[in-house]
Amino acid sequence: LPFCAFLGSLGLGCMAFVSVWCQHWRGGFAWDGSARMFNWHPVLMVTGMVVLYGAAALVYRLPPTWRGPKLPWKMLHSTLALIAFILAVLGLVAVFNFHNASGTPNMYSLHSWLGLGTILLFSCQWVAGFSAFLLPYAPIWLRALYKPIHIFFGSTILMLSMASCVSGINEKLFFSLKNGTASVPYKLLPPEAVFANILGLLIILFGVLVLCALAK
Amino acid sequence: LPFCAFLGSLGLGCMAFVSVWCQHWRGGFAWDGSARMFNWHPVLMVTGMVVLYGAAALVYRLPPTWRGPKLPWKMLHSTLALIAFILAVLGLVAVFNFHNASGTPNMYSLHSWLGLGTILLFSCQWVAGFSAFLLPYAPIWLRALYKPIHIFFGSTILMLSMASCVSGINEKLFFSLKNGTASVPYKLLPPEAVFANILGLLIILFGVLVLCALAK
Ligand code: HEM
Ligand code: HEM
Ligand code: HEM
Ligand code: HEM
Ligand SMILES: O=C1O[C@H]([C@@H](O)CO)C(O)=C1O
């Protein structure tokens, strides 16, 4: 329980850090194709692919789920995963619209390849989990066969999200705190850089603790 | 066994890709403080922190290690880990010397914070593994207590290396294929960008397969 409380606060901390970064230093939010529309991308990705994703993955680690009927917990697990997925798709819409409006090509960076790959795996995981565990038609042997695969990809996707977030924050700081245009460049570690680097480390810490709880 | 052969080739493939990238597109290697000295950084990091590290972690997954005396396997495991660590330190020397020679500050980026953190954890893992499992003084209860922690951090450090490599490759491509200076910028996906993005995905694939073998 103290572990749950700590993990919950850490998750809220990640959401707070990414929101403050985008609001205070990156000009806030809008849904208009501008750089302020881009700002929804980090917020939605961290909230969906890390914090809500982690919450969904940990549902079966809560002691109350070990007693009584399993169906309500399956509903909670798959609904949290669905909300996480919807936020992630909105986060993609934010960055694609920004790129289209500003004439930037899509899907060129390693960050974008890894990120889209992560989200595609996530959608496969959702569809396969839904078909195997929630639909009543799936035979028991199929469930037993698929379960360890589902659990392995559950952790793998979280790991890939963490790598996507780190590469995204890193590149955004290089873009925004460029040598010429920013008043203090990234190299000289202005407060924004320290703040967003810490955000990256908090995301890693949150992810590692979730993986630790899943590994037990 | 076919899995071992595939993983081995994939590891060699990662080493080949990172070497070809630095040799063919980034101007080759030197040990003189120039950008050609920097090129040792990716090569040594991928070779040490991913490929040799993965090999070291998988030693106890080879069936021959399950029979007979354990000491020679411990020696192999810790020696591979030590070589990986030495290459990683040389890789750090390469980038620090390049930064010092070109007047760039050290340790400002999220990539560098995460990377140095990963190497610090790796050195703790080595010292703790050495003290607990190789020195004959450690009591059995301490070994039993520490073993699951050692195994968990073994996987975690690999995961953090993967995230460090992805963020490093991503930022290096943004630096080298800048809008103004490169003949074809990163955005327009010149062959170098496709090649190095694939390197990033190969590193992820290699790491995920190692983690999969460790999870079993
Ligand atoms: C799991 C988390 C994430 C995923 C799956 C993800 C996915 C993506 C994808 C698919 C693109 C390409 C969009 C396009 O080309 O139109 C993209 C672009 C971008 N993302 Fe993320 N992202 C994630 C987290 C983040 C975070 C936390 C940041 C922090 C600022 C970020 C910063 C960027 C930036 C700057 C771009 C535009 C440049 C580029 O294409 O690399 N991303 N992201
Ligand atoms: C409709 C969608 C889904 C259903 C019905 C479903 C169902 C399940 C079930 C029945 C388990 C096994 C729990 C157990 O018996 O120990 C499980 C575990 C797990 N699921 Fe899902 N799942 C779904 C989607 C997802 C998604 C999208 C993810 C994330 C990618 C995910 C991640 C996990 C993880 C990490 C575990 C392991 C939890 C543990 O070991 O405690 N699931 N899921
Ligand atoms: C586990 C793997 C890696 C670790 C632990 C690591 C660690 C580090 C560290 C500690 C620095 C800071 C050096 C300084 O400030 O003087 C650094 C810089 C750098 N690394 Fe890596 N690195 C890794 C992989 C890579 C890879 C594969 C690349 C690919 C090109 C790369 C590209 C860079 C670049 C461009 C810099 C200079 C800019 C910066 O400080 O971010 N790194 N790395
Ligand atoms: C002197 C240094 C080290 C010694 C003596 C040592 C010893 C051991 C021992 C005895 C095991 C348990 C194997 C078993 O009984 O299943 C083990 C497992 C493991 N070690 Fe080390 N270790 C050392 C350094 C490292 C380092 C530096 C790493 C990487 C960070 C590492 C990663 C791992 C991993 C991933 C496992 C789990 C392997 C498995 O489950 O099959 N070790 N190590
Ligand atoms: O020396 C060792 O310690 C661990 C384990 O026995 C502790 O429980 C192990 O696998 C060894 O070879």
Side-chain angles (χ1 to χ4, degrees):
Chain A
L1 193 70
F3 179 73
C4 277
F6 178 69
L7 205 58
S9 341
L10 193 56
L12 290 176
C14 290
M15 287 163 61
F17 264 65
V18 68
S19 309
V20 168
W21 176 31
C22 291
Q23 176 65 48
H24 181 71
W25 279 289
R26 297 283 112 237
F29 303 94
W31 198 262
D32 57 1
S34 70
R36 297 168 66 224
M37 177 155 185
F38 169 84
N39 287 346
W40 282 109
H41 177 67
V43 171
L44 289 168
M45 290 305 178
V46 171
T47 308
M49 292 300 291
V50 179
V51 182
L52 278 179
Y53 184 103
L58 287 177
V59 161
Y60 299 105
R61 298 287 145 156
L62 298 170
T65 64
W66 306 339
R67 285 185 308 274
K70 222 170 163 186
L71 191 64
W73 298 112
K74 287 194 193 181
M75 299 296 294
L76 178 62
H77 174 73
S78 55
T79 309
L80 282 173
L82 186 62
I83 301 175
F85 183 73
I86 293 171
L87 295 187
V89 171
L90 290 176
L92 286 186
V93 172
V95 63
F96 274 90
N97 268 18
F98 163 60
H99 276 181
N100 292 341
S102 66
T104 309
N106 293 309
M107 296 308 299
Y108 60 94
S109 68
L110 178 56
H111 166 76
S112 63
W113 290 20
L114 181 66
L116 197 65
T118 308
I119 291 185
L120 289 177
L121 276 180
F122 188 20
S123 58
C124 297
Q125 175 90 338
W126 202 91
V127 170
F130 185 83
S131 321
F133 299 133
L134 220 49
L135 293 183
Y137 319 108
I140 301 293
W141 64 264
L142 184 76
R143 295 189 178 192
L145 183 74
Y146 172 55
K147 187 166 150 173
I149 302 176
H150 182 79
I151 291 179
F152 178 72
F153 276 97
S155 300
T156 302
I157 294 168
L158 178 57
M159 225 185 64
L160 299 178
S161 297
M162 289 156 62
S164 304
C165 286
V166 165
S167 53
I169 294 169
N170 199 53
E171 72 182 31
K172 182 67 183 172
L173 286 168
F174 277 108
F175 294 159
S176 328
L177 303 175
K178 260 205 282 284
N179 277 324
T181 53
S183 57
V184 184
Y186 193 9
K187 285 185 211 277
L188 299 179
L189 273 178
E192 173 181 353
V194 174
F195 189 86
N197 283 356
I198 293 175
L199 164 64
L201 298 183
L202 288 179
I203 291 171
I204 293 283
L205 182 63
F206 178 84
V208 168
L209 291 177
V210 170
L211 292 172
C212 177
L214 287 175
K216 261 182 280 188
Chain B
L1 193 70
F3 179 74
C4 276
F6 179 68
L7 206 58
S9 343
L10 193 57
L12 290 176
C14 290
M15 287 163 60
F17 263 65
V18 69
S19 309
V20 169
W21 175 33
C22 291
Q23 177 65 48
H24 181 72
W25 280 290
R26 293 287 109 238
F29 303 95
W31 198 263
D32 57 0
S34 70
R36 298 168 64 222
M37 176 154 186
F38 169 83
N39 288 345
W40 282 109
H41 177 68
V43 171
L44 290 169
M45 290 307 180
V46 171
T47 307
M49 292 301 290
V50 179
V51 181
L52 278 179
Y53 184 102
L58 287 178
V59 161
Y60 299 105
R61 298 288 143 156
L62 298 170
T65 66
W66 304 339
R67 283 186 309 273
K70 223 172 162 184
L71 191 65
W73 299 111
K74 286 194 192 179
M75 298 297 294
L76 178 63
H77 174 73
S78 56
T79 309
L80 282 173
L82 185 62
I83 301 175
F85 183 73
I86 293 172
L87 295 188
V89 171
L90 291 175
L92 286 186
V93 172
V95 63
F96 275 88
N97 268 18
F98 163 61
H99 276 180
N100 292 341
S102 65
T104 310
N106 293 308
M107 296 305 300
Y108 60 94
S109 68
L110 178 54
H111 166 77
S112 64
W113 290 21
L114 181 65
L116 197 65
T118 308
I119 291 187
L120 289 177
L121 276 180
F122 188 21
S123 58
C124 297
Q125 175 90 339
W126 202 91
V127 171
F130 185 83
S131 321
F133 299 133
L134 220 50
L135 292 182
Y137 320 108
I140 301 294
W141 63 264
L142 185 76
R143 294 187 177 193
L145 182 74
Y146 172 54
K147 187 169 152 174
I149 302 177
H150 182 79
I151 291 179
F152 177 73
F153 275 98
S155 301
T156 302
I157 294 168
L158 178 58
M159 226 186 64
L160 298 179
S161 296
M162 289 156 62
S164 303
C165 286
V166 165
S167 55
I169 295 169
N170 198 53
E171 73 182 30
K172 181 67 184 175
L173 287 168
F174 277 107
F175 293 159
S176 331
L177 304 174
K178 259 205 283 287
N179 277 324
T181 54
S183 57
V184 184
Y186 194 9
K187 284 186 211 284
L188 300 179
L189 272 179
E192 173 180 355
V194 175
F195 189 87
N197 282 357
I198 293 176
L199 165 64
L201 299 184
L202 288 179
I203 292 171
I204 294 282
L205 182 63
F206 178 84
V208 168
L209 291 178
V210 170
L211 292 171
C212 176
L214 286 175
K216 262 182 278 184

